Amino acid sequence: MQPNATKFAPRDADPGPETTRRWHMDALKDIDVLKGGGTSHDEIHQLLAAIAYHEAGQRSTSIRLFLRDGGTGCFFLCAHHAALSDDTPPSVRSRFPDGFSAADLSNGKTLLGSFQTRFDESLEEREVPRSSCCVPILSDRSVLGALVFCCDTGQDYRGVDFSVPEALGHLIGLHISSKNPHGKAGDAPGQAPSLDRWQDQLLSLIEDQTIYSRTDRAGRILDANDALVALSGYSRVELVGSPHSLLNSGHHPPEFWHAFWQQISSGQTWRGEICNRTKTGDLYWLDSIVAPLKGADGRIENYISVRFDITERKRAEARIHQLAYFDTLTGLANRDGTLAHIRSCLCGPGGEDRIFALFYIDLDHFKAVNDKRGHATGDRVLAIAAQRLQSVCPTDVFLGRLGGDEFAAFCPVKTKQEAQAVSDLFQAALLEPIDVSGEQFALGLSVGIALAPYHAREADALLSRADMAMYQAKATGAGSVFYTQSLADALHRRQRVSDRFKLALEAGLFHLVFQPQVHLEDGSFEGCEVLIRWRDEELGAVPPSEFIPIAEELGLITKLGEWVLAQTCRHMSDWAARGLSVPGRVAINISAQELMSSGYVANLKETVASFGCDPNAFELEITEHGLMRDIWAGKETLNELEDLGFRIAIDDFGTGYSSLSYVKHFSADELKIDLSFVRDMMVDAASYAIVAATIAMAEKLGMQSVAEGVETKEQADALKAMKCPIAQGYYYSRPLEAQDFEDTWLIPAKGTT
């Protein structure tokens, strides 16, 4: 909406008689908020800045002071206070809001309305509606000007108490009138109102609208208004004559008060926030202005304090700070709060001369708690774990929760051994299971440790390095690991492999190789194991031992397994079509994630059938360690697979845990002896005994044993003597590409020539 020229004029327009405008401006230039003696034009802006702390000011993007020309009735901009978010163009800022008139303002009450601001300085015009309000500046019901508040789009002033801004508008009106060289009713002709009348009116307004007190030069209270009596809980008799320090809360350090007294005793006004304490011990916050009052000789006689209660605002800020920097579940600092503390220590006084240890703490086996018992139980476990960790923290250790089941601790140390000792305290805190409603949850900790300044000097970098070390601790089961550069290099390699793996899986850049299995008695061909290989154009050959764990971590192992199954079935279907077959079974490795995934059995059955293959032609190998993750769920799925005709083998037998106590639960058809035992059996008596015992146990359980990693004739002969029926390894053949495997090992199917 364009400005209405009959209501106001831009600042640079002629406002009318020059004398009227001059005494308006001269009066404002003499304003000192509390009669401290200043004569700077900055006092006008100090007034507006003071209003910005009021509820109305806090909702506003701008506060503008307009004066009215007595001759033309137009309003012109005198002063402007803008928040950082005020984007009003200067040409618009100088206009008085349309719809407000002097007649409307003469009743002394604040007017609310909407101000259409047109941004016409850009290439594309746009109108932005802004809620605004107009506080009159009066003298004997004569409108001298107005304070205009304007808030941002979507905000308004509903529910705001405007009594303080209205009182301030009245105060400004009184002061302007006192400077009027033409006088007004009640004054002697040609004279301005007396200074005593002005000061009395000013102090009366202050006492009525603020929390007010007056002290002598030593800080003893001479006067206090009802608002201070009510807020402090002290009677006026208790306050008057007492030092103002009676109200001190102890929140502010001595240097705060030193600077305070230094400023006001030099004759300057002090402005700031002070925390005081009531008679009953409760804390309250005040936005305070403390100014010296000088006598005729220019010496300071008293100090007056004008305050606004901002306790609720400070509580709201504290709540916002709590939500922003603290974890609601554990009460510990959250990630942002933890990093803020670390930064303050590293960058604070003496931070460069000290050694700090950062501990990145991750709960082991916590995911299973959430998955099996739900997040409510998981939260209770987390809260108890946090309490235990906090209970063992030395006094100088800061503990925070980074998120999920991850925590961080930070403290100064003198040596690496001291840091290790702190980590040991954390480990000990989780040795005992956590009890929730009678159910026991055995957890553990993986802790990564990084030292400042050796490993990093900045908080984010230090946390990243501690995270790397924690990852290594979890991968190796080492408990706690210190960051090293070689560890960083390995993790960088892991990240590259992870990134390239995802691309390779999407493009199907893997291939299969086949390693034959032979009958030890006569060396005949008895089947094969399918193995996956990956050669990347950037990384070169990447072994399965490197990319399979990454696939599991990324949650892509099931997708990879589906690719392996489909490619294996495709080869078998192609061989069958050309009259070739594999005697015995084709063994495929499956992961625990695949076995536990929903729909695995149905997908396996569907894929095999789609290529015309027979489930009886397959053997599914799963590691012993994988079976131990969930023995009962694994057993149920394996039984279902066996019912379909698939043969089940336990791979890498002897490398898991509780092997002998759990193997009886699985109706597996085959045990594959891990190659580490076979490799060492001829030079290590313990390995030899383990191999012999495993073969004997498998026979007793009605299972077939297969020895992996056979590389020499001596090993083959020893295994044959132990009555191990099947073997595979480089002694017989390395894993072969499909065509080489076909040419070397495949035989014509029965009924073909």
Side-chain angles (χ1 to χ4, degrees), residues 304-378:
I304 64 170
S305 300
V306 177
R307 312 173 184 90
F308 297 96
D309 186 358
I310 58 170
T311 304
E312 284 304 315
R313 193 193 84 196
K314 298 295 284 188
R315 286 174 180 166
E317 290 174 354
R319 286 192 293 270
I320 292 171
H321 182 273
Q322 182 73 20
L323 291 173
Y325 292 102
F326 287 86
D327 173 49
T328 56
L329 176 64
T330 64
L332 301 174
N334 62 14
R335 187 182 189 89
D336 288 340
T338 299
L339 284 170
H341 175 79
I342 295 171
R343 291 188 188 105
S344 68
C345 292
L346 295 178
C347 302
E352 295 181 355
D353 303 324
R354 306 174 74 186
I355 302 172
F356 293 95
L358 176 58
F359 304 84
Y360 201 115
I361 304 168
D362 183 270
L363 298 183
D364 297 334
H365 317 306
F366 177 74
K367 184 176 183 298
V369 178
N370 269 343
D371 291 345
K372 296 177 183 178
R373 297 295 181 265
H375 289 279
T377 298

Side-chain angles (χ1 to χ4, degrees), residues 124-145:
E124 183 180 350
E125 291 190 359
R126 58 191 176 98
E127 288 191 355
V128 179
R130 306 212 179 204
S131 180
S132 60
C133 61
C134 221
V135 177
I137 296 175
L138 301 174
S139 176
D140 289 341
R141 303 189 69 82
S142 176
V143 179
L144 304 182

Side-chain angles (χ1 to χ4, degrees), residues 34 87 261 263 314 320 380 430 542 596 665 745:
L34 296 170
D87 57 356
W261 280 105
Q263 184 165 334
K314 298 295 284 188
I320 292 171
R380 294 178 65 185
L430 269 294
V542 183
M596 306 305 173
H665 291 292
W745 290 91

Side-chain angles (χ1 to χ4, degrees), residues 721-739:
M722 295 176 188
K723 297 185 179 179
C724 178
I726 307 295
Q728 72 181 79
Y730 275 62
Y731 177 64
Y732 303 103
S733 173
R734 61 181 176 82
L736 300 172
E737 300 289 337
Q739 188 60 54

